[in-house]
Amino acid sequence: MKQFTSVHDVANPKALVESALKLKHAPVGSLKGIGAGKTIVMLFFNPSLRTRLSTEKAALELGMYVIEYNAGQGWQLEFEDGAVMDGDKAEHIREAAAVISQYADIIGIRTFPTLAARERDYSDFVLRQFIRHATAPVISLESAIRHPLQSLADWVTLEEYRPAHRPKVVLTWAPHPRALPQAVANSFVEWMKMADVELVVTHPKGYELANEFSSGLAIEYNQDKALAGADFVYAKNWSSYREYGQILNQDISWMITPEKMAHTNNGKFMHCLPVRRNVIVADAVLDSPASLAIQQANNRAYAAMAVLKDICEAL
Ligand code: CP
């Protein structure tokens, strides 16, 4: 693998899931040779708890050096070609990416969308500018439109709890007080299309995902109907793509409660975290044995390990 920005960068996604599961059960300390002498530089333009810590843990387990930089707290970078830099932006992406590439064997970037400039966000502008100007491979630590490390960890978790039959997986929108990116939902459906599952997506009207992600999906606007017989319920809020970045609905009846889970086939609850308790999901579901949210977060480390291992071996 030369970069990791979406499932489309992965030759065999199922094999990557199997690699993560294998790495999870490797003896402690046995993997240090894989990344020995190699360095990952991770740039965070936006906050993170899980991605930051799990990717650092993964890199350390593989014997890598880890450098982290809070890019959001540094001076602002200029990303536009031909810019006259007489404003508040102190450094151009051309120099920044070239310099970081000298320190790094792999570069990780976390960058959220503006939720205002749809075309720019959906070109994954910041991530693509790093890829364009860096000479080291780039991995997404969540970009404007995708969160592939999360989706890989989600698939790993699904495999660990896969029932004997082909599972029904429901991605459901849930309310949230703030406008959130579509990245987790976009990425989840993109990866689940490659998995052996029945995928159903449910959300209020107006929350349709961009065509490149929603094409071919089964959409059910009635949440109760969608949840019927589900083996896995993946809850997530996202803001509208059509009315870009807007909150169209805060209908609390979309929160996942024990009553909602009663429609499922003794289903498991999933969420990428962080989660708003009693807004997205009721305490009684999140604190129940049906919740896999903590296991998903644990699998973030093994997902990152599988990706870093694959890239290290290709360096
Ligand atoms: N799920 C996830 O990406 O969490 P963080 O934002 O804390 O990294």
Side-chain angles (χ1 to χ4, degrees), residues 78 80-82 91-99 132-134:
E78 176 61 67
E80 300 290 346
D81 290 342
E91 180 158 8
H92 200 278
I93 180 66
R94 285 175 182 266
E95 288 75 55
V99 168
R132 184 175 159 212
H133 296 297

Side-chain angles (χ1 to χ4, degrees), residues 21-68:
L21 284 164
K22 199 169 159 200
L23 289 164
K24 185 169 183 175
H25 300 291
V28 176
S30 66
L31 306 168
K32 300 273 184 207
I34 294 169
K38 302 205 165 47
T39 300
I40 180 168
V41 175
M42 297 198 282
L43 274 71
F44 288 87
F45 288 90
N46 303 96
S48 167
L49 188 155
R50 276 146 292 275
T51 306
R52 186 172 191 140
L53 299 184
S54 63
T55 309
E56 177 169 347
K57 175 178 159 72
L60 293 173
E61 286 290 337
L62 297 178
M64 301 181 77
Y65 301 112
V66 180
I67 301 172
E68 296 177 21

Side-chain angles (χ1 to χ4, degrees), residues 100-142:
I100 295 162
S101 296
Q102 295 179 105
Y103 308 146
D105 297 284
I106 299 174
I107 301 173
I109 306 287
R110 165 161 284 205
T111 174
F112 286 171
T114 63
L115 291 183
R118 187 170 82 174
E119 202 175 316
R120 180 183 162 111
D121 287 347
Y122 270 72
S123 72
D124 235 349
F125 182 70
V126 172
L127 186 70
R128 294 291 149 203
Q129 286 291 70
F130 267 99
I131 290 169
R132 184 175 159 212
H133 296 297
T135 53
V138 171
I139 66 168
S140 167
L141 303 174
E142 186 173 349

Side-chain angles (χ1 to χ4, degrees), residues 80-300:
E80 300 290 346
D81 290 342
V84 177
M85 293 175 57
D86 58 357
D88 56 355
K89 297 187 178 150
E91 180 158 8
H92 200 278
I93 180 66
R94 285 175 182 266
E95 288 75 55
V99 168
I100 295 162
S101 296
Q102 295 179 105
Y103 308 146
D105 297 284
I106 299 174
I107 301 173
I109 306 287
R110 165 161 284 205
T111 174
F112 286 171
T114 63
L115 291 183
R118 187 170 82 174
E119 202 175 316
R120 180 183 162 111
D121 287 347
Y122 270 72
S123 72
D124 235 349
F125 182 70
V126 172
L127 186 70
R128 294 291 149 203
Q129 286 291 70
F130 267 99
I131 290 169
R132 184 175 159 212
H133 296 297
T135 53
V138 171
I139 66 168
S140 167
L141 303 174
E142 186 173 349
S143 77
I145 55 170
R146 292 184 175 91
H147 197 354
L149 280 173
Q150 180 67 52
S151 308
L152 176 56
D154 295 337
W155 187 346
V156 169
T157 311
L158 279 165
E159 290 305 325
E160 290 181 312
Y161 291 88
R162 176 181 277 277
H165 59 271
R166 186 169 184 257
K168 178 176 178 181
V169 177
V170 177
L171 170 67
T172 178
W173 179 94
H176 195 283
R178 295 184 56 209
L180 296 188
Q182 297 99 33
V184 169
N186 287 343
S187 214
F188 184 71
V189 299
E190 205 167 47
W191 284 73
M192 283 298 103
K193 284 178 187 176
M194 306 272 183
D196 183 23
V197 302
E198 177 197 351
L199 176 64
V200 176
V201 180
T202 183
H203 53 70
K205 289 206 167 138
Y207 281 96
E208 292 76 11
L209 298 173
N211 274 343
E212 66 182 289
F213 299 102
S214 66
S215 69
L217 287 180
I219 312 287
E220 170 56 67
Y221 291 106
N222 181 317
Q223 190 192 40
D224 289 350
K225 274 193 196 166
L227 293 175
D231 298 291
F232 296 94
V233 177
Y234 197 112
K236 184 71 185 85
N237 173 269
W238 61 90
S239 58
S240 175
Y241 172 79
R242 194 180 69 196
E243 293 177 51
Y244 192 59
Q246 299 300 304
I247 297 174
L248 307 180
N249 188 330
Q250 289 186 307
D251 183 354
I252 203 70
S253 74
W254 280 76
M255 177 171 73
I256 298 300
T257 60
E259 294 72 31
K260 294 281 180 185
M261 292 301 286
H263 295 297
T264 71
N265 180 25
N266 203 20
K268 299 289 188 190
F269 173 80
M270 300 180 74
H271 192 280
C272 60
L273 302 180
V275 71
R276 299 271 183 146
R277 282 175 172 262
N278 303 308
V279 178
I280 295 263
V281 56
D283 285 345
V285 174
L286 191 58
D287 296 332
S288 78
S291 176
L292 301 181
I294 302 301
Q295 290 90 324
Q296 286 170 262
N298 185 33
N299 283 332
R300 291 294 307 274

